[in-house]
Amino acid sequence: MRRPSGPSLTDVAKAAGVGTGTAGRALGGYGKVRPSTRAHVLAVAESMGYRPNRLAQGMIAGRTRTIGVVCADVESPFFSRMVRGISDVASENGYGTLLTNSDENVVLERDALEMLLESRVAGVVVTPADVHNVKHLKAAVADGFPVVLADRLTSVKADSVLIDSVAAMHEAVTALLKHGHRRVAILAELRSERDLAWQDEAGRSRRSGTPLSPSAARVAGYIQAHIEAGVPVDPELVRATREYSAEAATAETLELLSSSCAPTALIAADDVMSIGAYRAIVDARIRVPRDLSFVAFDDLPWLTLVKPQLSVVRQPVYEIGTRAATLLFERINGNVAKPRRVVLPYEFIARGSVASL
Amino acid sequence: MRRPSGPSLTDVAKAAGVGTGTAGRALGGYGKVRPSTRAHVLAVAESMGYRPNRLAQGMIAGRTRTIGVVCADVESPFFSRMVRGISDVASENGYGTLLTNSDENVVLERDALEMLLESRVAGVVVTPADVHNVKHLKAAVADGFPVVLADRLTSVKADSVLIDSVAAMHEAVTALLKHGHRRVAILAELRSERDLAWQDEAGRSRRSGTPLSPSAARVAGYIQAHIEAGVPVDPELVRATREYSAEAATAETLELLSSSCAPTALIAADDVMSIGAYRAIVDARIRVPRDLSFVAFDDLPWLTLVKPQLSVVRQPVYEIGTRAATLLFERINGNVAKPRRVVLPYEFIARGSVASL
DNA sequence: TTGAAAGCGTTACCAT
DNA sequence: ATGGTAACGCTTTCAA
């Protein structure tokens, strides 16, 4: 059953001829130890190949030097880069990173959180799968457990790091409208029923009600841009995939493009939508920007490898990760009172995929 | 210092009016408990919001229900997909995944491994940064600690999962040669001095000596293909970036393309090299396959988004992860004796980026 | 400055 | 089937 995990502190103490207290103080760097004693203990420990047991340390502290991450899917470029940011900050702090994937499924998210809690992680960074179903997160926060929300806002009273999705999409769509486009389509995930009620969202985001999911917020920005420009929104041009998958995005885009009410421009609401939409554009042999203007979301290398290079709304993904982790460690170490919100800058990068009409 | 982490098993036992043993058996599902007793304990635990402490469980077992991963960089598409595979299998087994990045640096790799060992993970999946500097891995294996090597072979006597890189590159280059190409260039990482001595590698890989790094193995396959086809290898056409970065790959490719000895075909040795090389091709306004034939390595979505679509050597990345994790769990659970090697199939996918001369 | 001992939350063992 | 208790490896009192 047990794995022999090498010499324990007690073994080292015994071999060094000191008490466990002294050995612990020498090796752990806490309390007072005479320099010569410390040197001796260190030497003995070294020679025995002593390795501290983080579990035992964690038992005492009530938590380990490990943080948890619950993201939708590390395989996606967005999350893998964000996770890298989190993990880098964790390492700098001597912490490990326990990684889980929710696949945008609240049930899996709850299970993952439960596992992390059982593992006594010091805190978690979460990208909530469902902005409206966050009981488990609220419970954790209510217990005084450090939680940071990344990429998505919810009603949970926790720190959060994200971009202003409404403004980001507002800016991009406004650019499209200024180029003379009057039939601008948007492709977004809009997974929940609530997200699908996007007709109400433009106003809702302004009110202090329930926060919007990123895709809903982006549709809201799209609508606001239209309203401000005095251009009516054609419901046919707002397309929802209902799931975070490139395949669904391709299918939806194909349908959009073959419909009678063809758009002159298309904007995607995230990286996965972008790649799926562009695949449809390629498959349908549509020429960008001659037949259709296209704007992607999340700047990835491939956008500048195709011809023409694609205009995009860029967000500082790595930094979302590092900032989230930093907020988390502040909460773990100090006693931060109120939830903080970090809004990072987005950037609209105009390249060659938008035509003027 | 301590975080209150909710009710303990003792608390539940007390509240339920049973001993800790019984409470543990009821909640942990081990040993014998009368159904009615179990139900009662479960109910009490539920009402108290009891959450088992994995640290305490780990203290007893000598290890936690967590596995460690040391990869080069989760941010890379290759590793993020592999990690997803590992993490999926871990979840299925009720295990967590502790993730670390080595950035292809042996020192960071050793530190990461040390952290994982201190955390008493049940085992690790590693993609060794330096195939020739693996003392720390050997030490872990010698201690009876479960280790699985992914993507890369070393002299460490541990399980491993990878493709046959020599054969994969051999097949792709042979295809190029059959298309009439006589000046085929290869872009590979070749980080270590040993890797750079690629002139000797073709033979070395056949012998039972030190295993090759993936990039060295791929160069070996490249050379073997040339030898078998009776085409001399021009050393100028074997390009090394010395680091795992797209920027370096772009720079090296640019230099290759502007050199006097221009190739008629170029093949990249991994996903990062592929994107870097293609960036150079785009920047230099080189037409594929008219001016240059190009073959990528690792099938990623963007390869079929550019025109023409790029031919590629595909490897089953997700499966490398799942298989590695599966081997690891077999070792964790049972008592597997000898190191096993799983060689997964690669696939050469011909698309439109190779011209016949 | 140092040593002895308590205690963290479990599981395993031994009585009962 | 059940309860009590030792033990895991460490940090932290408390005395000395």
Side-chain angles (χ1 to χ4, degrees), chain A residues 148 159-161 322-331 340 342:
Chain A
V148 174
D159 298 329
S160 53
V161 182
T322 57
R323 295 297 286 276
T326 302
L327 289 183
L328 185 61
F329 278 110
E330 286 171 4
R331 210 163 263 286
R340 295 156 297 170
V342 173

Side-chain angles (χ1 to χ4, degrees), chain A residues 1-7 50-67 72-77 80-81 83-84 87-88 91 94-103 114-115 117-120 122 143-146 275 278-279 282-283 286-287 301-307 309 318 331-335, chain B residues 1-7 50-67 72-77 80-81 83-84 87-88 91 94-103 114-115 117-120 122 143-146 275 278-279 282-283 286-287 301-307 309 318 331-335:
Chain A
M1 179 80 226
R2 292 206 76 260
R3 290 256 170 199
S5 43
Y50 168 71
R51 185 145 40 214
N53 186 329
R54 285 189 172 223
L55 299 183
Q57 297 176 328
M59 283 293 298
I60 295 167
R63 59 183 155 106
T64 49
R65 296 205 308 284
T66 302
I67 61 172
D73 177 16
V74 240
E75 197 182 326
S76 135
S80 70
R81 186 156 170 74
V83 166
R84 182 49 139 102
S87 142
D88 281 353
S91 295
Y95 274 63
T97 306
L98 210 37
L99 177 74
T100 63
N101 302 98
S102 73
D103 282 324
E114 183 62 26
M115 188 274 282
L117 257 15
E118 292 179 4
S119 298
R120 298 302 190 265
D143 284 354
F145 184 76
I275 204 157
Y278 195 73
R279 159 125 304 130
V282 167
D283 288 356
I286 286 172
R287 289 158 301 183
W302 71 269
L303 297 182
T304 51
L305 253 22
V306 300
K307 266 178 285 195
Q309 300 196 344
Y318 180 79
R331 210 163 263 286
I332 288 171
N333 297 324
N335 263 331
Chain B
M1 180 81 225
R2 291 206 77 260
R3 289 257 170 199
S5 42
Y50 168 73
R51 182 143 44 211
N53 186 330
R54 284 190 172 222
L55 299 183
Q57 296 176 327
M59 282 293 298
I60 294 166
R63 58 182 158 108
T64 47
R65 295 207 308 284
T66 301
I67 61 171
D73 177 15
V74 241
E75 196 182 326
S76 135
S80 69
R81 187 156 169 75
V83 166
R84 184 72 218 264
S87 141
D88 281 354
S91 294
Y95 275 62
T97 306
L98 209 38
L99 177 74
T100 63
N101 302 98
S102 72
D103 282 323
E114 183 61 28
M115 188 274 282
L117 258 14
E118 292 180 4
S119 297
R120 298 303 189 265
D143 284 354
F145 184 76
I275 203 158
Y278 194 73
R279 161 126 302 134
V282 167
D283 288 356
I286 287 172
R287 290 158 299 182
W302 71 269
L303 297 182
T304 50
L305 254 22
V306 299
K307 265 177 286 195
Q309 301 195 344
Y318 180 80
R331 211 162 262 286
I332 289 172
N333 298 323
N335 264 329

Side-chain angles (χ1 to χ4, degrees), chain B residues 280-318:
Chain B
I281 288 171
V282 167
D283 288 356
R285 297 182 194 288
I286 287 172
R287 290 158 299 182
V288 172
R290 199 173 126 169
D291 302 337
L292 180 75
S293 289
F294 181 67
V295 176
F297 209 102
D298 279 349
D299 200 20
L300 292 176
W302 71 269
L303 297 182
T304 50
L305 254 22
V306 299
K307 265 177 286 195
Q309 301 195 344
L310 305 179
S311 298
V312 70
V313 178
R314 179 189 172 278
Q315 47 176 335
V317 184
Y318 180 80

Side-chain angles (χ1 to χ4, degrees), chain A residues 213-226:
Chain A
S213 73
S215 68
R218 287 164 199 175
V219 168
Y222 164 93
I223 293 174
Q224 283 183 11
H226 278 76

Side-chain angles (χ1 to χ4, degrees), chain B residues 198-257:
Chain B
W198 52 266
Q199 322 243 13
D200 318 324
E201 281 163 6
R204 178 142 52 96
S205 74
R206 292 282 186 199
R207 288 179 240 127
S208 53
T210 319
L212 298 172
S213 72
S215 68
R218 287 164 199 175
V219 168
Y222 164 94
I223 294 175
Q224 282 182 12
H226 277 76
I227 292 174
E228 285 175 25
V231 178
V233 172
D234 179 353
E236 283 294 306
L237 296 179
V238 177
R239 297 291 176 142
T241 62
R242 308 301 306 274
E243 55 178 283
Y244 186 63
S245 104
E247 290 66 36
T250 300
E252 191 64 32
T253 305
L254 246 18
E255 199 193 293
L256 165 72
L257 296 176

